[in-house]
Every structure is written in structure tokens, then in C-alpha cells.
């Protein structure tokens, strides 16, 4: 699996997980709130902020569709109206990106049509994100790949054939650096529908691409588990407070949770280590606390060892416990005091 850089950040299995904070529409049409979210997730340690670049008119038509799923967060909303509420005004991108850069964070976006790519190119973004619902839009994929920049693509609500086709389209159009994100396109997603075992399978099917998780579950547990299964990138929606409302607030992380996400995913990655058996250098002193055979009662020379006068206890300064049974009935060579670790010279 290849390792490559997005801006100054290396992405790959031999690097700490790359944490992307998805702003989405949680700015609630208030630029100052959007900037405050950037500040908060930067302080929490997120490595990148990601926007979504579209307008309601580039996404759908007025009156084209009303959400009729009673289980949806957006039940009853007209789609064009919802996108009008959720979109990030294009003239906000530069101040949001500049605020992120002032904190040392990367900043990029998901374009939803080719005009968005043209716009984002004027802002010199370091990478592009392809949203799950756009990964079958081959003209968009080709336009993004033509920029020559790294691409992160979500794979929610997609067949394996669609993912493979999208990968092929991107590669053929010039995309060299590609991350694939396991994603469940429900909002929120349940742990039962997250299917993290897909991550190592993706890595087998697409060995040239680092794999990650675009996570819509609550909390950070799924993300930590994903890293343990090989995820190199984690994307989570973020907000200031879920109670503030917003189109995606119900399944977004608050700043304290973002900090936990950054810390715990890096711990999970560090803990992966390598295949290891035997005694590590860090464990050498702990060997003292293994059990061994000790004299439990005073023993006179020539007296046999019994289950009453020798015991297996801590620390490990005496003979190993595997010799306990063979020693029973053998005579002591010398007088021994209780509390003495038993050695071969004492037989």
C-alpha cells in the first residue's frame, strides 16, 4: 500500500491516522459560527477541515423531490430547500480555509459538480473529497483527477462494481494518490450497519490505495475500531454543540469528542505495532514478578521437600514452577530458612 502526502501530512498505514473534521452545514448559515467550529476542532487536534462545495441549484431542481422517509432526520423537507439551508456560500470558503491554515490545519472540500472543481482550483486546495453519492458521476471524477491532486473517495450506498469502476475512472484520468473510505450512507449510521471488516478487505482488493472510514455513527468507538483494522483516514462531522441544531448536528462530534477521537485513534494505531512474541525490552524488569519456588518453612539438611515446606510464589528469583512436582521428596543439601528462593545448589 502506498504512502503519499496531502499537503504536509503523510497518509498511509505506517503513519498516524489522518483525522478530517467535516463542517458540512453545521455553520447554520453563520460565517462566524463556521469560523468558531474551525477554531474549536483545530484546538482539539483535528488535522484537516473539509467543506462541501455546491449550491442548491447545482444539486437539484426546486420541487424535484420531498423526503418521505419517516425515519430520516430530514423527513418532510423539500430537497432544494434543504440544500439551500445546508450549503456553504462560496465566498465563505477562502476565510474558512485561511482560518484553518492559520492553525496549521489542512483545508479542502467535496465538489459536487465540475464548476465547484474549477472554483476550488482557484483556492489551491491540496486534495479533493468525492462524496458517496457522487462516486458514479464519471465526468466529475475525471475533472477532479485531471487536477493531479490526491483524492479521497467515500463508498457508501455503492456496489463493489461501482467502486471498482470509479477507481478505474480516476486512475485512467490521472489520479495517482487515492484513499477509499468505507462509509454507511445513513444519518446517523448504526454500529450494526457499519461493517468495519470491509476495511481490510478493501485493502486487499485495492492494494495501491490507503483505506479509511467516513463515519456517521455516534461517538468515537467505530473510528477507533476502524484504525485497529487498518484505517489510515477518519472523517467525522463536527459541530460546536449538537443542541445548537443544524442539518447534520444530530450525528456530529462536539470539540471534546474530536479531541478524544484524535487521541484514541492515534493510541489504537500505536498499539498495532508488529507481530511480537517473547519478552520485550520494556517487560524485562517485570519478569521479576513471575512466580518461582520458595522455601515456605525452615528445612534441615537431608529433610525432603514437601508441599508444606516449599511453595510457588512471587517473585521469580527461585527455580521455575515447572520443577515443583519433581522436587517433592528430594532431600535438601543444607539447612534452609523460610523465605529463601530455592536454587539447584540447595538440592
Amino acid at each position: 500500500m502506498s504512502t503519499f502526502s496531502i499537503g504536509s501530512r503523510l497518509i498511509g498505514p505506517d503513519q498516524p491516522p489522518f483525522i478530517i473534521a467535516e463542517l458540512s452545514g453545521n455553520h447554520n448559515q453563520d460565517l462566524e459560527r463556521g469560523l468558531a467550529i474551525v477554531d474549536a476542532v483545530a484546538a482539539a487536534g483535528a488535522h484537516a477541515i473539509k467543506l462541501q462545495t455546491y449550491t442548491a441549484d447545482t444539486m437539484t431542481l426546486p420541487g424535484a423531490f420531498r423526503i418521505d422517509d419517516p425515519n430520516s432526520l430530514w423527513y418532510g423537507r423539500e430537497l432544494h430547500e434543504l440544500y439551500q439551508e445546508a450549503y456553504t456560500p462560496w465566498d465563505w470558503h477562502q476565510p474558512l480555509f485561511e482560518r484553518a491554515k492559520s492553525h496549521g490545519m489542512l483545508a479542502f472540500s467535496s465538489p459536487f459538480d465540475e464548476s465547484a472543481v474549477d472554483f476550488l482550483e482557484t483556492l489551491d486546495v491540496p486534495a479533493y473529497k468525492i462524496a458517496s453519492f457522487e462516486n458514479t458521476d464519471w465526468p466529475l471524477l475525471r475533472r477532479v483527477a485531471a487536477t493531479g491532486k490526491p483524492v479521497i473517495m467515500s463508498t457508501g450506498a455503492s456496489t463493489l462494481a461501482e467502486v471498482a469502476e470509479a477507481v478505474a475512472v480516476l486512475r485512467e484520468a490521472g489520479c495517482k494518490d487515492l484513499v477509499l473510505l468505507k462509509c454507511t450512507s445513513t444519518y446517523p449510521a448504526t454500529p450494526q450497519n457499519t461493517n468495519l471488516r470491509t476495511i481490510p478487505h478493501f485493502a486487499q482488493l485495492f492494494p495501491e490505495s490507503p483505506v479509511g472510514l467516513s463515519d456517521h455513527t455516534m461517538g468515537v468507538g467505530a473510528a477507533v475500531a476502524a484504525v485497529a483494522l487498518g484505517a489510515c483516514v477518519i472523517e467525522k462531522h463536527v459541530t460546536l454543540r449538537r443542541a445548537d441544531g443544524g442539518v447534520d448536528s444530530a450525528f456530529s462530534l462536539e470539540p471534546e469528542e474530536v479531541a478524544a477521537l484524535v487521541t484514541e485513534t492515534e493510541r489504537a494505531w500505536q498499539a498495532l505495532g508488529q507481530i511480537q512474541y517473547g519478552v520485550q525490552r520494556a517487560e524485562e524488569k517485570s519478569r521479576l514478578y513471575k512466580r518461582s519456588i520458595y522455601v515456605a518453612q525452615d528445612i534441615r539438611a537431608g529433610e525432603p521437600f514437601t508441599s508444606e515446606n516449599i511453595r510457588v510464589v512471587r517473585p521469580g528469583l527461585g527455580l521455575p514452577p515447572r520443577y515443583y512436582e519433581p522436587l517433592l521428596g528430594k532431600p535438601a543439601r543444607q539447612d534452609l530458612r523460610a523465605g529463601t528462593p530455592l536454587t539447584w545448589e540447595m538440592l
Side-chain angles (χ1 to χ4, degrees):
M1 187 182 297
S2 62
T3 296
F4 57 85
S5 62
I6 296 179
S8 60
R9 184 85 188 186
L10 286 172
I11 310 297
D14 57 346
Q15 300 296 321
F18 180 52
I19 307 301
I20 304 170
E22 164 66 77
L23 178 62
S24 184
N26 285 333
H27 46 63
N28 296 352
Q29 291 303 310
D30 180 351
L31 175 58
E32 291 305 313
R33 177 180 170 84
L35 293 168
I37 293 174
V38 173
D39 293 340
V41 298
H47 306 126
I49 191 80
K50 190 188 77 66
L51 310 185
Q52 296 181 0
T53 307
Y54 64 85
T55 67
D57 291 334
T58 64
M59 292 290 270
T60 188
L61 298 170
F65 185 73
R66 185 173 297 275
I67 299 171
D68 59 5
D69 179 0
N71 295 317
S72 171
L73 290 175
W74 309 295
Y75 174 62
R77 299 292 303 276
E78 201 273 321
L79 202 59
H80 187 276
E81 177 187 84
L82 184 63
Y83 287 134
Q84 186 65 41
E85 176 184 321
Y87 93 108
T88 301
W90 290 22
D91 59 352
W92 289 10
H93 284 54
Q94 186 166 353
L96 288 166
F97 284 179
E98 288 177 352
R99 181 65 65 89
K101 292 173 185 176
S102 74
H103 292 298
M105 294 176 71
L106 295 173
F108 55 99
S109 188
S110 296
F112 287 79
D113 75 332
E114 295 173 69
S115 70
V117 180
D118 295 339
F119 167 69
L120 290 167
E121 278 296 282
T122 69
L123 300 177
D124 195 27
V125 292
Y128 284 94
K129 165 73 191 297
I130 300 295
S132 291
F133 297 154
E134 272 56 51
N135 65 27
T136 54
D137 186 346
W138 290 12
L140 176 63
L141 298 183
R142 292 190 178 104
R143 178 67 189 92
V144 167
T147 68
K149 294 176 179 175
V151 177
I152 300 169
M153 185 175 75
S154 281
T155 61
S158 303
T159 67
L160 181 55
E162 288 171 335
V163 174
E165 290 168 350
V167 170
V169 168
L170 287 165
R171 295 295 193 195
E172 290 167 4
C175 174
K176 295 180 180 178
D177 300 324
L178 173 64
V179 177
L180 296 176
L181 301 185
K182 174 68 179 80
C183 178
T184 299
S185 293
T186 58
Y187 310 92
T190 65
Q192 293 85 349
N193 289 334
T194 299
N195 297 308
L196 294 179
R197 286 191 175 92
T198 309
I199 289 172
H201 193 245
F202 256 170
Q204 293 174 5
L205 293 176
F206 304 99
E208 296 181 354
S209 298
V211 179
L213 176 68
S214 179
D215 183 22
H216 301 136
T217 65
M218 303 300 293
V220 303
V224 173
V227 171
L229 288 168
C232 305
V233 176
I234 300 292
E235 179 186 63
K236 291 281 283 188
H237 288 241
V238 296
T239 188
L240 291 177
R241 289 287 175 259
R242 284 184 289 274
D244 295 344
V247 292
D248 294 338
S249 62
F251 56 91
S252 297
L253 294 185
E254 296 178 354
E256 297 84 357
E257 295 166 317
V258 175
L261 174 71
V262 173
T263 298
E264 298 305 327
T265 53
E266 182 157 352
R267 283 177 177 164
W269 172 77
Q270 291 170 337
L272 288 174
Q274 57 192 351
I275 296 171
Q276 180 268 322
Y277 298 101
V279 182
Q280 300 183 75
R281 179 175 298 178
E283 297 175 307
E284 287 174 356
K285 292 182 179 178
S286 296
R287 298 237 347 138
L288 174 65
Y289 300 102
K290 284 184 172 285
R291 288 178 177 253
S292 67
I293 305 172
Y294 267 70
V295 177
Q297 298 175 357
D298 289 347
I299 303 173
R300 287 182 292 185
E303 186 178 343
F305 296 117
T306 69
S307 59
E308 287 76 30
N309 62 23
I310 61 172
R311 286 181 57 196
V312 174
V313 296
R314 294 183 182 186
L317 297 176
L319 292 173
R322 65 177 176 269
Y323 297 114
Y324 176 77
E325 284 86 358
L327 284 173
L328 295 175
K330 301 292 191 298
R333 175 179 292 182
Q334 63 199 64
D335 290 347
L336 299 172
R337 295 182 62 84
T340 303
L342 200 60
T343 65
W344 290 120
E345 292 77 15
M346 297 173 184
L347 272 67

